[in-house]
Amino acid sequence: MLKRMRCRMIIAAMAAFLAVILMVAFLVNLINYRAVTKRLDETIMTIYEFEEKKPQPPNPGMNNGQPGGGDNQAVPGPQAPPDGPFRGSPDAEAGYMTRFFVARLDEDGNVMSTSLDFVASVDASGAKQLAEQVNLGKKDRGYIKEFRFRKVRLGNSTMIVFLNSMRELQFMRTLRSLTIVVSVESLLLVFILVVLFSNRAIRPIANNIRRQKQFITDASHELKTPLTSISTSLDVLSMEREDDEWLDNIRKQTGRMSKLISRSEERFSR
């Protein structure tokens, strides 16, 4: 019985701790995800406002930050971003780390132009492919590869801003992995502690059960002696007074008490 009680205590403690640690890990990652995503979306809106103020070429074609680039022009490979920061950022230091590109599409979903002045990880063809993939999707914002994107409809055209979020995504993955490792190690540590301290926790219960057994044993021993004496006296009286109603009643009650004592001994001997 004590072993079953100890196992149930360990299982209950581990289940409660598992629920708590999972909830904490989930909340930590959820809060971090929302905070990082909110900061990225604010940066994207800053980029959008910056791009809206830029003058557009009269016949925009596919370009890589070079005026007059058309569809028939050779597609250049990825180039290094300019040495200067992104001037549209309210934080001058953050402007040096802001890397993005912008794609503009017509009402039919065809890419009219791309602005690749502040990105080096994609070329014009890669930017076009990402823009078309996002435009076909139903989401106006989300993640694709290492970019956070937002789709803004402007009349008959659509502007899609892609912000490089590799550092933020890597941080979220690292935090998720860290919370998993910490959760597993915490579960193992708590399991060891619960197993070690479970004996001490059930020690008072074990002492109470031992006292109860001792009490039942002593009480049974003390009651058996008078019951035996009563049974012997009944046998003697039955020889003198047969078919006596009172003697039969005493015999029944004596037998009942003997059975109760035997059941109590069997129950506490398990």
Side-chain angles (χ1 to χ4, degrees), residues 229-256:
S229 178
I230 292 173
S231 297
T232 304
S233 299
L234 282 173
D235 292 338
V236 174
L237 290 174
S238 297
M239 294 178 185
E240 298 179 357
R241 301 175 60 180
E242 297 180 359
D243 299 331
D244 190 292
E245 179 182 356
W246 300 105
L247 294 179
D248 291 338
N249 187 35
I250 294 173
R251 185 176 289 105
K252 289 179 182 179
Q253 296 302 323
T254 303
R256 181 171 176 271

Side-chain angles (χ1 to χ4, degrees), residues 2 19 44 53 60 96 100 214 222 240:
L2 289 177
I44 288 177
K53 296 176 183 178
Y96 285 92
F100 65 91
Q214 187 62 40
E222 294 297 329
E240 298 179 357

Side-chain angles (χ1 to χ4, degrees), residues 2-10 195 198-199 202:
L2 289 177
K3 289 183 179 180
R4 290 197 301 269
M5 185 181 299
R6 184 187 178 193
C7 291
R8 290 174 182 174
M9 182 183 299
I10 293 173
V195 171
S198 59
N199 281 331
I202 66 173

Side-chain angles (χ1 to χ4, degrees), residues 15-58:
F17 182 77
L18 177 62
V20 172
I21 199 70
L22 288 178
M23 182 178 65
V24 171
F26 174 77
L27 289 177
V28 167
N29 284 274
L30 178 62
I31 293 172
N32 176 71
Y33 174 84
R34 290 186 174 180
V36 170
T37 300
K38 180 181 179 182
R39 186 168 62 250
L40 293 174
D41 286 341
E42 291 174 353
T43 304
I44 288 177
M45 289 306 299
T46 302
I47 296 170
Y48 167 73
E49 294 172 359
F50 174 80
E51 290 291 324
E52 275 291 277
K53 296 176 183 178
K54 288 174 58 176
Q56 299 300 317

Side-chain angles (χ1 to χ4, degrees), residues 1 204-220 264-265 267-269:
M1 182 173 65
I205 301 174
N207 292 335
N208 289 335
I209 294 175
R210 187 174 61 254
R211 293 191 188 100
Q212 289 179 3
K213 287 183 177 180
Q214 187 62 40
F215 172 78
I216 294 298
T217 301
D218 295 341
S220 299
S264 299
E265 289 178 340
R267 182 181 302 172
F268 280 90
S269 63

Side-chain angles (χ1 to χ4, degrees), residues 170-183:
Q170 183 62 39
F171 175 75
M172 287 191 287
R173 295 189 191 102
T174 302
L175 180 62
R176 183 170 61 247
S177 300
L178 182 62
T179 53
I180 292 174
V181 172
V182 171
S183 299

Side-chain angles (χ1 to χ4, degrees), residues 33 37 40-41 44 47 98-102 115-116 118-123 126-131 133-134 141-150 160-170 172-173:
Y33 174 84
T37 300
L40 293 174
D41 286 341
I44 288 177
I47 296 170
T98 304
R99 291 292 173 255
F100 65 91
F101 70 90
V102 179
S115 176
L116 309 178
F118 291 95
V119 70
S121 58
V122 296
D123 55 15
K128 179 181 178 181
Q129 183 178 2
L130 288 175
Q133 185 176 348
V134 169
R141 64 182 70 184
Y143 290 96
I144 181 170
K145 293 186 177 180
E146 71 270 24
F147 294 97
R148 174 74 179 175
F149 70 85
R150 181 161 184 176
I160 307 177
V161 179
F162 294 84
L163 176 62
N164 189 292
S165 310
M166 184 177 294
R167 294 187 305 273
E168 289 78 4
L169 292 173
Q170 183 62 39
M172 287 191 287
R173 295 189 191 102

